[in-house]
Every structure is written in structure tokens, then in C-alpha cells.
């Protein structure tokens, strides 16, 4: 009986729902502060295939940490399309497309933030990111939400070719960590030190296999 219970628990863990929309689109890189007059300021959005939404369904919201309100909302339908790259080892053959938004005047922090939202209902998508500290949003999709500090920043002494970017290996924002990439900004393409990789079968695939295994276990219990 204990063995059977353990199998059921294990199989239940496999029946997880598909990844949320927030896992399909995320802020991947941005540049806001360099030595001298700020230049080449941008935000890069990564958009993974396999969702019913399109990049034009989202907006980028820039937040002022002094007061917690938005100071700019950018329709991502106007974003510049960059590279589309395959996710290595992905059984579903998905890709990630990188979009770049140039914006002169991204605030220099202490703190400030940014978040993505769906145009249809202005709901929060993904994580409310901030740099140089945390604060609570007072308007827009992050209203009442405490920001998550990415843990790295540009202090105004770097180059105009620098950025803050996600690095590591994976295929969703949570797989990566933020790092300073200067002078190797890659607006519109995969980041320096970032590998699009999926070494784990999709939960849905595991679920179908689990259903078969569970049916076999139940049949054998009836035969005993």
C-alpha cells in the first residue's frame, strides 16, 4: 500500500498545468545609465513561441520609484524585431524571439522599475522588477505590488555599450540570473553568457506517460 501511495504522489506531481503566459514573455536585458550623458538606453523583451498571445498584446511599463507610479507605457507592437533562435534540446521545437525597445530617458534608479502587462486588462505579467532598491507600485499593473530588486545596477561609470542582462541556461526568466554585461550589450539577440536550453521534457509529455503507468498500477491491484 505504501508503494502504491508513493507512486500516486509521484504521478500527481507530473500533472502540473502548462506554463503560464508570464513564462513566455519576459524582460531580458536593459540599459539605463552610463558615464556622461546617457545614451543607447533600451529594454529587450524575450518572447517564446508556443502561446496564443503575440508581442503586440503587451505593453512595457516604466516605474518611478519616487511615488511608485508609471512614467511611461510603451506598446510593444512598436518594438523592433531582432533575432529568433531555437531552444536547444527542446522536444517541442520552440524558439525565442528578441525584441528591442529604444527609450531615451529610462530613469537612473535609487530605485526605479519596469514590468510587462497585457493590453487587454492591464494585468501584471511576470515579475515587477526594480533596480537600485525596492518599492511598491501605486498605479498600473504593479499597483500594490512590492518590486523585486534584480540585485545588480549600472552606477553611471560604465560605457554606452553596457547593459544589465539575464545570463545562464534555460528557457524562462526564472532559469536565469541578472548580471552586469559591459561593454557587451546585445540588444535584439541572446545575451552574452545566456544559453537557450531545455533539458527537461514538457510536463504534458510526462503527464501522458504517467496516465499509462497509473492505469497499469490500478489494473494490477485489481488482479491481486
Amino acid at each position: 500500500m505504501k508503494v502504491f501511495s508513493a507512486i500516486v504522489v509521484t504521478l500527481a506531481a507530473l500533472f502540473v498545468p502548462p506554463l503560464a503566459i508570464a513564462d513566455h514573455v519576459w524582460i531580458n536585458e536593459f540599459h539605463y545609465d552610463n558615464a556622461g550623458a546617457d545614451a543607447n538606453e533600451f529594454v529587450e523583451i524575450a518572447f517564446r513561441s508556443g502561446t496564443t498571445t503575440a508581442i503586440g498584446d503587451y505593453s512595457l511599463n516604466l516605474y518611478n520609484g519616487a511615488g511608485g507610479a508609471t512614467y511611461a507605457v510603451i506598446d510593444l507592437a512598436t518594438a523592433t524585431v531582432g533575432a529568433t533562435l531555437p531552444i536547444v534540446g527542446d522536444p517541442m521545437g520552440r524558439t525565442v524571439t528578441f525584441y528591442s525597445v529604444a527609450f531615451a530617458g529610462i530613469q537612473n534608479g535609487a530605485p526605479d522599475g519596469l514590468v510587462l502587462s497585457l493590453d487587454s486588462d492591464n494585468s501584471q505579467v511576470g515579475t515587477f522588477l526594480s533596480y537600485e532598491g525596492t518599492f511598491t507600485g501605486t498605479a498600473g499593473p504593479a499597483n500594490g505590488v512590492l518590486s523585486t530588486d534584480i540585485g545588480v545596477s549600472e552606477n553611471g561609470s560604465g560605457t554606452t555599450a553596457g547593459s544589465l542582462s539575464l545570463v545562464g541556461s534555460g528557457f524562462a526568466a526564472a532559469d536565469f540570473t541578472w548580471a552586469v554585461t559591459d561593454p557587451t550589450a546585445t540588444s535584439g539577440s541572446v545575451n552574452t553568457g545566456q544559453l537557450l536550453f531545455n533539458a527537461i521534457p514538457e510536463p504534458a509529455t510526462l503527464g501522458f506517460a504517467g496516465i499509462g503507468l497509473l492505469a497499469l498500477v490500478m489494473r494490477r491491484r485489481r488482479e491481486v
Side-chain angles (χ1 to χ4, degrees):
M1 185 64 181
K2 289 183 178 179
V3 173
F4 175 73
S5 298
I7 293 174
V8 171
V9 170
T10 300
L11 293 176
L14 300 179
F15 301 137
V16 295
L19 293 173
I21 288 176
D23 293 309
H24 291 281
V25 55
W26 66 88
I27 295 166
N28 198 55
E29 182 182 16
F30 63 102
H31 168 65
Y32 68 94
D33 192 14
N34 52 258
D38 292 340
N40 300 335
E41 296 168 279
F42 73 91
V43 179
E44 178 187 85
I45 309 299
F47 191 89
R48 194 179 69 222
S49 64
T51 175
T52 57
T53 58
I55 191 66
D57 296 329
Y58 298 90
S59 290
L60 173 67
N61 302 257
L62 303 181
Y63 272 82
N64 187 342
T70 56
Y71 64 90
V73 179
I74 302 167
D75 184 354
L76 291 185
T78 65
T80 300
V81 183
T84 295
L85 300 174
I87 300 173
V88 177
D90 184 45
M92 298 179 67
R94 292 170 298 182
T95 60
V96 175
T97 300
F98 298 92
Y99 296 84
S100 184
V101 177
F103 185 86
I106 298 177
Q107 294 186 356
N108 286 350
D112 288 309
L114 56 175
V115 70
L116 297 173
S117 68
L118 274 168
D119 293 335
S120 59
D121 58 4
N122 203 35
S123 61
Q124 184 177 341
V125 176
T127 304
F128 177 26
L129 302 179
S130 62
Y131 46 95
E132 301 188 30
T134 62
F135 64 97
T136 299
T138 59
N143 184 29
V145 179
L146 177 65
S147 67
T148 298
D149 191 334
I150 63 174
V152 294
S153 62
E154 295 179 306
N155 59 14
S157 63
T159 74
T160 59
S163 70
L164 306 178
S165 62
L166 288 176
V167 300
S169 175
F171 63 104
D175 298 328
F176 307 107
T177 56
W178 285 96
V180 177
T181 44
D182 189 358
T184 54
T186 55
S187 178
S189 188
V190 66
N191 297 334
T192 302
Q194 182 178 44
L195 173 65
L196 301 176
F197 183 72
N198 180 15
I200 304 174
E202 282 298 290
T205 304
L206 292 173
F208 285 121
I211 291 172
L213 179 57
L214 180 59
L216 178 61
V217 171
M218 294 297 291
R219 187 182 69 184
R220 290 190 174 180
R221 288 196 74 228
R222 288 195 300 268
E223 292 173 351
V224 173

